[in-house]
Amino acid sequence: MRTSRRAFLDTAARLGAGVATASVLPLGAVDRALAAKPREPANSGAAAGVTGDASLGSHAAAHRLLYGCAVNMNALAADAAYAALIREQCRIVVAENAMKWGALRPTPDGFNFEQADALLAFAEANRMKIRGHNLVWHRDNPRWFDAQATAANARGLLVTHIETVVGRYAGRIHSWDVVNEAIDVADGRPDGLRNSPWLRLVGEEYIELAFKTARDADPQALLTYNDYGTEQETRAGEQKRAAAIELLRRMVARRVPVDAVGVQSHIAAWATQAGGIPVAAMPYGAGLMRFIASARELGLQVFITEMDVNDRALPADVPGRDAAVATAYRQYLELVLGDPAVRLVLTWGITDRYTWLNREEGRADGLPERPLPFDAADRAAPAFFAMRDSFDRRAALSSHG
Ligand code: G3I
């Protein structure tokens, strides 16, 4: 359970608890109808209307997009319906946890690739692309790291890790999240860099070192800088976007090999009406689109890397929550898909049954959240249809030809 104020703010930012802007966007009539839509039978992944050509992956592919999700490897091994759902819906997958330092590095000299290898086996058997997540992060480092990493050995630790992990899968990875969440403006540095263990031990050049080492280890993989909190139309969002685009500008200017920026997109559904009166707002908009355009102008692709829509701010009733979550997916995706630099969309999980959000602070009423395209019984939620419609509308959305 997180305790510090910083951790709370960090979580709030990651959960997209943005401040709503003034404009009023009523709950879409379509989404209201969808929310009332008779439920698909359980495990509707096998039901007509959401698989094959009707799947998210197929509809995305028809519009030059890759759709996929983060995979819980324990669930993949134990839950055949979960594996089938991913197989039916996804063209790309990423390990939720299995390729982080915490999973790969049980000891300073040892690597455990069991679950990472299992992900590649599953993905390649199902002709899916694979994202690697992540090579450098301030969180989820193994217990020995804090005790044993020093200013003297940290560079070597970083280079050996990246050479070994990226080298093992060279030629088989679509893209790597090389550095994850390196920016935290609240830490007070003029460049906005987070006071990460890597910054303290190696200096700010840890970022450049990580990207160059990854490129040398796998010249084919697209190298991504991934972060959260660049989404909100708030002062904090603007500060984060400014620091992130300046970091990317410095990297490009110094010919650091970076190919893409990840916009995690852990966003929050907003209360679209109270007592039937439209009240609020999509708290995402022009600032995010300026950020995406700036990345495009730097020659970068833009990946929506970890999308989910938490429903914590909403009343308990399920149809109302599902409708607001669907509206959030629809409006957020129709915003970002307007820029042709956006080339892939991954949700952070695919079924509510395994969402990380229910392992976090959760809803005040303790009800399980409903943040993903399929509910906990693998029935296609209104969010599924909203996402698929947004993919279909891409051609009409593109504001850059
Ligand atoms: O597997 C162990 C289990 O054996 C043990 O009993 C349990 C008790 O703590 O922990 C379990 O591991 C947890 C793991 O998730 C699997 O559930 C870790 O403690 C927990 O820290 C870990 O949380 C993950 C978190 O990243 C930190 O790595 C979440 O699942 C994962 O969804 C979340 O994903 C991050 C992205 O990587 C980066 N962007 C933000 C996103 C959400 O925080």
Side-chain angles (χ1 to χ4, degrees), residues 206-229:
Y206 84 91
I207 296 173
E208 183 167 338
L209 178 63
F211 276 87
K212 286 182 174 174
T213 307
R215 176 69 96 227
D216 290 347
D218 184 358
Q220 293 183 54
L222 293 170
L223 304 184
T224 310
Y225 171 71
N226 188 47
D227 215 328
Y228 67 88

Side-chain angles (χ1 to χ4, degrees), residues 16-342:
V19 173
T21 51
S23 65
V24 169
L25 292 163
L27 176 64
V30 171
D31 293 326
R32 210 181 358 258
L34 284 172
K37 184 178 171 59
R39 287 234 165 271
E40 299 281 346
N43 191 12
S44 63
V50 293
T51 56
D53 291 346
S55 70
L56 290 171
S58 296
H59 280 249
H63 300 281
R64 292 178 43 242
L65 264 180
L66 270 176
Y67 168 74
C69 77
V71 178
N72 176 321
M73 293 308 293
N74 293 332
L76 187 73
D79 182 341
Y82 176 68
L85 189 59
I86 294 170
R87 203 177 291 122
E88 286 159 4
Q89 297 299 325
C90 298
R91 300 290 177 92
I92 187 169
V93 287
V94 63
E96 182 175 10
N97 293 305
M99 294 172 90
K100 295 172 179 173
W101 275 68
L104 292 178
R105 304 298 301 275
T107 64
D109 303 322
F111 290 80
N112 175 357
F113 288 112
E114 185 182 344
Q115 288 200 328
D117 288 351
L119 177 72
L120 268 85
F122 172 80
E124 292 173 338
N126 291 289
R127 295 191 302 283
M128 296 172 186
K129 297 182 186 300
I130 301 132
R131 299 207 74 236
H133 172 86
N134 57 59
L135 296 171
V136 185
W137 194 18
H138 64 285
R139 287 178 61 191
D140 217 7
N141 288 309
R143 283 195 183 84
W144 58 263
F145 183 85
D146 291 338
Q148 301 201 31
T150 65
N153 68 15
R155 287 179 73 90
L157 278 173
L158 181 62
V159 169
T160 301
H161 181 81
I162 295 175
E163 285 178 343
T164 307
V165 176
V166 176
R168 182 183 182 89
Y169 303 119
R172 301 163 67 188
I173 300 289
H174 167 274
S175 51
W176 274 103
D177 287 334
V178 176
V179 171
N180 195 49
E181 304 175 7
I183 289 171
D184 184 351
V185 175
D187 279 352
R189 283 175 54 103
D191 57 12
L193 290 184
R194 180 186 298 274
N195 184 26
S196 146
W198 293 107
L199 184 79
R200 293 194 298 274
L201 293 170
V202 178
E204 59 187 88
E205 65 267 26
Y206 84 91
I207 296 173
E208 183 167 338
L209 178 63
F211 276 87
K212 286 182 174 174
T213 307
R215 176 69 96 227
D216 290 347
D218 184 358
Q220 293 183 54
L222 293 170
L223 304 184
T224 310
Y225 171 71
N226 188 47
D227 215 328
Y228 67 88
T230 52
E231 305 89 355
Q232 288 88 353
E233 202 64 24
T234 59
R235 177 169 153 67
E238 197 51 40
Q239 289 177 320
K240 182 108 180 199
R241 287 188 288 271
I245 210 68
E246 282 315 307
L247 169 64
L248 292 163
R249 280 205 180 97
R250 292 196 301 273
M251 290 171 71
V252 169
R254 291 162 54 163
R255 301 192 184 291
V256 174
V258 55
D259 306 299
V261 59
V263 179
Q264 290 185 9
S265 306
H266 293 289
I267 68 173
W270 52 94
T272 46
Q273 52 178 314
I277 311 293
V279 289
M282 174 160 90
Y284 312 99
L288 174 54
M289 293 316 288
R290 281 194 301 272
F291 177 75
I292 292 174
S294 299
R296 172 170 36 80
E297 286 154 11
L298 285 172
L300 303 178
Q301 295 187 46
V302 179
F303 297 160
I304 306 300
T305 48
E306 308 185 10
M307 189 166 183
D308 46 29
V309 179
N310 79 70
D311 61 17
R312 298 179 173 174
L314 300 172
D317 79 292
V318 166
R321 278 198 272 159
D322 283 359
V325 167
T327 294
Y329 273 106
R330 178 188 306 283
Q331 293 190 7
Y332 186 87
L333 288 172
E334 292 188 359
L335 175 73
V336 298
L337 294 180
D339 195 305
V342 176

